[in-house]
Amino acid sequence: ARNWAMELKHGRIRVNVLSPGPTNTPLIAKLVIPSEMLPAVEAQVARAMPFGRLAEAGDLARAAVFLASRMALISGANLMVDGGASLA
């Protein structure tokens, strides 16, 4: 993102990265985890997260909308939307 942001700055093109952490999506249900164990696994992951929950699709969408907005004078950034997981 940083390299592209520098290459594209003359065209006033901003480049940013959104790095999600564990996210509650339909893909989780398709993992190799048996469906009866899924709630326990999700709870265990959530307990390990500083915010105590997995991200939802809406959390990621709001972050992406912010980065795409004209209000965000941001370029070359990596926005961690991981509930604080990267702090550990």
Side-chain angles (χ1 to χ4, degrees):
R2 292 172 55 129
N3 288 337
W4 284 355
M6 290 302 294
E7 287 182 25
L8 300 171
K9 69 181 180 182
H10 299 295
R12 295 183 183 238
I13 298 171
R14 296 180 296 119
V15 179
N16 295 297
V17 174
L18 190 66
S19 294
T23 305
N24 186 14
T25 67
L27 180 62
I28 290 177
K30 294 180 181 182
L31 295 175
V32 184
I33 302 167
S35 59
E36 64 274 2
M37 292 181 61
L38 190 56
V41 171
E42 288 177 350
Q44 181 179 2
V45 171
R47 279 193 302 275
M49 302 290 293
F51 279 19
R53 68 176 182 88
L54 277 67
E56 298 291 333
D59 297 318
L60 303 175
R62 285 185 292 280
V65 167
F66 168 71
L67 284 177
S69 74
R70 290 181 185 244
M71 295 182 342
L73 190 59
I74 300 170
S75 190
N78 179 10
L79 183 59
M80 306 293 288
V81 184
D82 64 358
S86 60
L87 299 174

